[in-house]
Amino acid sequence: MRLDYLSIFPAYFDVLDISLVGKAAINGLVEIHAHDLRDWTHDRHRTVDDTPCGGGAGMVMKPDPWGEAFDEIIGTESDPSVHVIFPAPSGTPFTQSAAAELSSAQRIVFCCGRYEGIDHRVIDYARSMWTVHEVSLGDYVLNGGEVAALAITEAVVRLVPGFMGNPESLAEESFSAGQDGLLEYPLFTRPVSWRGLDVPEVLMSGHHGRIASWRRDESVRLTRERRPDLTDSDSSGIH
Ligand SMILES: Nc1nc2cc(Br)ccc2s1
């Protein structure tokens, strides 16, 4: 899997060299390329933004640098196997299933907006050429798409076959299919008693049936408490 990042702050992605994703890069599972969008400007000030047509506050990212960067980084041929991701507050909520789908992609290009956002024609052009995802990480606004791109990267790359040492652990995580799309149950380890707080007895019983039942009940309880929106989804197993 090749991952490209287009940003006016490419140094944000240096962290990928030291994180788990860096390990995958070393193993050859992923190839990471960060690019400075200003490298595709031609004026002395390396300008990437301009005032919004129709008025309004703030600045909008000009389409020209993006188009030239696309030409060099991705090419000028249409290819639906290339996934282009635009993190944006107005995007579709990013989910574990979206991460799972992207984990089989061979090419992902992250376009990290700044200012008030990117000229919409950039997204329209990308849609005419590649598979585009406008995604949000939640109902809050960041200063740019870089942090969102890092979060999406981690969610996707950890699902790439061969990345996780123990792929079985993925099956029991929150939102995973193995968890019926529910939130993960509470976890405990030794010591059995810590500062007056004990591990639930059932987990020390060695009775696998009771343990499984307790964990399921806890997942259902937590999901109903914290994410009632998940309890009606088809994959949740609870209605
Ligand atoms: N939650 C998010 N906020 C932002 C802000 C900008 Br500017 C670009 C992308 C995103 S994703």
Side-chain angles (χ1 to χ4, degrees), residues 87-89 112-117 135-138 140-146 148:
C112 303
R114 281 266 152 176
Y115 307 101
E116 298 306 311
V135 298
S136 162
L137 294 193
Y140 48 84
V141 181
L142 302 168
N143 290 327
E146 289 81 6

Side-chain angles (χ1 to χ4, degrees), residues 132-177:
V132 167
H133 310 263
E134 293 180 77
V135 298
S136 162
L137 294 193
D139 296 338
Y140 48 84
V141 181
L142 302 168
N143 290 327
E146 289 81 6
V147 167
L150 285 169
I152 294 165
T153 298
E154 183 150 317
V156 170
V157 171
R158 65 195 298 278
L159 299 179
V160 170
F163 174 75
M164 292 293 278
N166 172 20
E168 286 174 21
S169 63
L170 295 174
E172 295 187 358
E173 293 178 335
S174 290
F175 312 109
S176 65

Side-chain angles (χ1 to χ4, degrees):
M1 177 187 284
R2 172 168 166 153
L3 301 170
D4 286 273
Y5 301 82
L6 259 173
S7 164
I8 57 173
F9 297 116
Y12 257 93
F13 304 100
D14 292 352
V15 70
L16 293 177
D17 295 335
I18 58 175
S19 69
L20 275 177
V21 176
K23 186 185 89 177
I26 293 165
N27 297 342
L29 278 175
V30 297
E31 198 183 311
I32 292 172
H33 300 267
H35 310 273
D36 186 343
L37 184 67
R38 294 188 194 277
D39 289 350
W40 287 276
T41 60
H42 306 290
D43 63 305
R44 189 156 59 92
H45 298 293
R46 295 164 53 92
T47 307
V48 292
D49 63 319
D50 200 344
T51 53
C53 294
M59 302 293 274
V60 176
M61 299 190 91
K62 295 162 54 69
D64 316 69
W66 290 97
E68 292 187 28
F70 286 161
D71 292 349
E72 187 170 333
I73 293 168
I74 312 176
T76 53
E77 298 296 317
S78 174
D79 181 352
S81 75
V82 176
H83 293 261
V84 181
I85 296 179
F86 293 88
S90 58
T92 304
F94 189 71
T95 62
Q96 187 67 16
S97 58
E101 282 176 34
L102 284 168
S103 69
S104 60
Q106 284 312 303
R107 184 108 204 251
I108 301 177
V109 180
F110 289 91
C111 300
C112 303
R114 281 266 152 176
Y115 307 101
E116 298 306 311
I118 304 171
D119 184 303
H120 199 74
R121 290 169 294 179
V122 172
I123 296 160
D124 288 341
Y125 173 76
R127 282 194 189 282
S128 74
M129 298 286 281
W130 307 296
T131 300
V132 167
H133 310 263
E134 293 180 77
V135 298
S136 162
L137 294 193
D139 296 338
Y140 48 84
V141 181
L142 302 168
N143 290 327
E146 289 81 6
V147 167
L150 285 169
I152 294 165
T153 298
E154 183 150 317
V156 170
V157 171
R158 65 195 298 278
L159 299 179
V160 170
F163 174 75
M164 292 293 278
N166 172 20
E168 286 174 21
S169 63
L170 295 174
E172 295 187 358
E173 293 178 335
S174 290
F175 312 109
S176 65
Q179 192 66 7
D180 274 347
L182 298 175
L183 300 184
E184 189 171 14
Y185 45 80
L187 299 172
F188 300 86
T189 186
R190 289 181 291 267
V192 172
S193 190
W194 176 74
R195 295 189 177 192
L197 301 168
D198 297 344
V199 172
E201 278 184 33
V202 64
L203 298 181
M204 307 308 292
S205 69
H207 195 296
H208 300 297
R210 288 187 195 144
I211 291 170
S213 177
W214 180 87
R215 285 173 167 172
R216 168 76 184 190
D217 291 348
E218 282 296 289
S219 286
V220 169
R221 176 182 64 79
L222 280 174
T223 307
R224 283 192 171 135
E225 265 176 34
R226 298 177 183 171
R227 292 298 303 276
D229 57 301
L230 294 179
T231 55
D232 296 333
S233 69
D234 293 342
S235 62
S236 76
I238 50 175
H239 302 287

